[in-house]
């Protein structure tokens, strides 16, 4: 109960913490890509964009003192976090239940360069052989599993903040 009180009585700090965790997760993703040599799949890239959105929106919500300002950006951050959780859950499902015939798909930028947006966006969410690969694990969970847990945690925190509507500190 004390933790819940701390979260709801200091929403600016909680929102800033969410933004900082998102930035840390993005930095870790860059480390895995550029230092460890792991190539992100289209679903990983979409999750990165969702992380960027959550970080920016939560950061903006933590800056202003007006209730309407932080609640508006909080709702938008909640939507972005829910979207990220959906994509991470879908990728986790694909990793647990890989399709019989996995083909290696194009990367996100290759899709955008060679196809119209109306054709590229559905291709991103179809998943490819790359999206089913588990190249890195921590405590038995893949990147997609941990990403889902983080997005779900952000969603719960944001929902608690919005429903409790804590005072500004």
């Amino acid at each position: 109960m004390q933790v819940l009180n701390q979260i709801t009585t200091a929403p600016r700090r909680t929102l800033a913490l969410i933004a900082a965790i998102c930035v840390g997760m993005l930095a870790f993703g860059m480390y895995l890509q550029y230092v460890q040599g792991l190539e992100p799949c289209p679903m990983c890239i979409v999750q990165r964009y969702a992380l960027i959105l959550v970080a920016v929106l939560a950061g903006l919500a933590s800056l202003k003192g007006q209730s309407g300002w932080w609640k508006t950006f909080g709702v938008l951050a909640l939507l972005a976090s829910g979207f990220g959780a959906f994509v991470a859950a879908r990728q986790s499902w694909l990793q647990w239940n890989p399709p019989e015939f996995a083909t290696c798909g194009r990367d996100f930028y290759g899709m955008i360069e060679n196809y119209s947006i109306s054709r590229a966006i559905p291709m991103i969410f179809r998943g490819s052989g790359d999206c089913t690969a588990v190249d890195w694990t921590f405590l038995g969970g893949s990147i997609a599993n941990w990403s889902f847990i983080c997005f779900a945690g952000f969603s719960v925190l944001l929902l608690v903040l919005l429903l409790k509507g804590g005072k500004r500190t």
Side-chain angles (χ1 to χ4, degrees):
M1 189 64 164
Q2 186 178 5
V3 173
L4 184 62
N5 287 337
Q6 287 178 341
I7 290 170
T8 58
T9 58
R12 287 178 73 181
R13 289 186 195 124
T14 303
L15 290 164
L17 179 64
I18 289 171
I21 291 171
C22 287
V23 170
M25 289 174 64
L26 288 165
F28 185 67
M30 295 294 122
Y31 166 79
L32 288 176
Q33 181 176 355
Y34 293 109
V35 176
Q36 296 296 318
L38 300 180
E39 277 300 313
C41 70
M43 290 180 132
C44 294
I45 292 169
V46 171
Q47 290 171 58
R48 282 187 188 177
Y49 287 135
L51 269 177
I52 291 168
L53 267 175
V54 172
V56 168
L57 294 168
L60 287 172
S62 73
L63 293 178
K64 288 287 187 177
Q66 294 97 356
S67 178
W69 175 277
W70 80 265
K71 285 184 180 180
T72 300
F73 282 113
V75 167
L76 293 173
L78 176 62
L79 292 173
S81 184
F83 175 72
F86 170 77
V87 175
R90 174 72 177 143
Q91 184 177 5
S92 292
W93 187 85
L94 283 172
Q95 289 174 346
W96 294 328
N97 304 297
E100 284 186 41
F101 300 102
T103 59
C104 218
R106 295 179 161 214
D107 67 347
F108 179 76
Y109 299 106
M111 286 186 237
I112 297 297
E113 288 174 0
N114 294 313
Y115 298 103
S116 66
I117 293 291
S118 62
R119 284 190 62 200
I121 289 180
M123 291 170 69
I124 292 169
F125 294 107
R126 250 184 242 136
S128 66
D130 296 333
C131 291
T132 63
V134 178
D135 297 327
W136 180 89
T137 60
F138 178 71
L139 297 175
S142 69
I143 296 170
N145 302 146
W146 285 107
S147 181
F148 172 76
I149 289 169
C150 290
F151 278 122
F154 297 151
S155 296
V156 168
L157 281 173
L158 289 164
L159 195 59
V160 166
L161 280 178
L162 291 165
L163 291 177
K164 286 286 191 174
K167 66 176 186 172
R168 302 296 297 171
T169 58

